[in-house]
Amino acid sequence: MKDIKVVFMGTPDFSLAPLKVLIEKTNVVLVVTKPDAEVGRKRILTPSPVKKLALENNIPVFTPNSIKKDYQAILDVEPDLIVTCAYGKIIPKILIDYPKYGCVNIHASLLPKYRGAAPIQWSLINGDKETGITLMYMDEFMDTGDIIDIAKYEIKDNDDIGTLHDELSIIGSELLDKNLEYLVSGNVKRIKQDDNLA
C-alpha cells in the first residue's frame, strides 16, 4: 500500500485518527486543511490539528481559502486516492473525478441519515439509540454519494458529544483501515443511498 499516493483533506481533531492510519499504511503526498485561524482572546494564529500532525510527519500541507477556485496543487501531486474527513467544504468535481481509486469521505452518521454538518450532535439531540460511520464515495452534493461500508455504534446512556466524537473518530479510522485494500481492488460494490430516508 505504500505505493498508493493519497491526498488527505480534513481539519479538526476528529480527522486525526484516520490520517494516522493513512500515514502508516500509504504514501500521503499532501494534506489539505483550512487556513490557520485566530484562536482565543489574544487572537493567536493557530494551525489546525490536521496541519500540526502533517508537519510532524514531514508531509506537505496546502491551505486554500477556496477549494473550488484553488485546487491545482492537489492535481499536481497526482493522487491515486483522495480521502476526506471533516474537511468542511464542498469538493469540486474536477478533484472528485481525478483519482483512479476515487474520492472517499468518512462521515459520522449512518447515511442517508444526518447528511451535512453536525451529524454527531443531531444523533444526541434526537435521542437516537444507534449511530455510526459511513465510508462513501463523494459526488458533487453534500453526503449523497454511494456507500462503500458502514460501522454501527450503540449510543450509551452516558455518551455525550465528547465521548461520541472520540468513539466515532476511532471507528472511522478502523473502517478506513479495514477498507483500504478493498478501495484499490477495483471491485468495490457501490450501495446507492435512498434519498427518501435522508
Side-chain angles (χ1 to χ4, degrees):
M1 295 293 291
K2 278 292 185 181
D3 58 334
I4 304 297
K5 295 197 295 183
V6 176
V7 168
F8 181 80
M9 306 175 73
T11 298
D13 287 336
F14 189 83
S15 311
L16 294 177
L19 176 54
K20 287 175 183 175
V21 166
L22 292 172
I23 290 169
E24 180 186 339
K25 298 287 179 73
T26 70
N27 178 18
V28 181
V29 292
L30 184 67
V31 162
V32 183
T33 189
K34 289 185 180 175
D36 296 359
E38 292 181 345
V39 174
R41 285 191 298 184
K42 294 187 178 180
R43 316 283 298 165
I44 297 170
L45 206 57
T46 305
S48 73
V50 162
K51 180 177 179 179
K52 289 178 186 174
L53 180 60
L55 294 177
E56 287 168 8
N57 287 274
N58 301 309
I59 299 168
V61 177
F62 178 46
T63 56
N65 286 310
S66 171
I67 193 68
K68 287 186 177 180
K69 298 176 184 173
D70 189 8
Y71 51 75
Q72 188 60 45
I74 299 169
L75 299 178
D76 287 347
V77 298
E78 301 179 344
D80 300 311
L81 175 70
I82 294 176
V83 178
T84 72
C85 179
Y87 177 56
K89 295 185 180 182
I90 299 280
I91 310 300
K93 190 173 190 304
I94 191 168
L95 292 180
I96 292 169
D97 293 343
Y98 182 86
K100 64 180 174 182
Y101 299 124
C103 186
V104 302
N105 180 46
I106 300 163
H107 183 74
S109 79
L110 300 174
L111 289 172
K113 196 172 189 180
Y114 305 138
R115 290 173 177 168
I120 298 173
Q121 290 88 332
W122 281 115
S123 65
L124 289 170
I125 289 167
N126 291 330
D128 292 353
K129 300 296 183 192
E130 182 181 67
T131 185
I133 293 286
T134 303
L135 183 65
M136 55 172 287
Y137 284 109
M138 298 187 72
D139 61 18
E140 295 173 81
F141 305 102
M142 182 66 77
D143 301 324
T144 57
D146 294 345
I147 293 169
I148 300 161
D149 199 3
I150 63 167
K152 295 181 179 180
Y153 174 77
E154 185 178 332
I155 299 174
K156 301 176 180 64
D157 291 340
N158 62 345
D159 271 326
D160 58 26
I161 187 67
T163 59
L164 204 51
H165 169 283
D166 294 349
E167 287 283 355
L168 291 177
S169 176
I170 293 166
I171 291 168
S173 67
E174 292 171 344
L175 190 65
L176 177 64
D177 191 7
K178 170 189 162 190
N179 281 280
L180 271 176
E181 290 192 13
Y182 183 42
L183 288 172
V184 302
S185 70
N187 298 310
V188 178
K189 293 184 174 69
R190 292 170 171 257
I191 304 163
K192 294 282 183 196
Q193 292 192 43
D194 184 348
D195 290 338
N196 294 318
L197 300 176

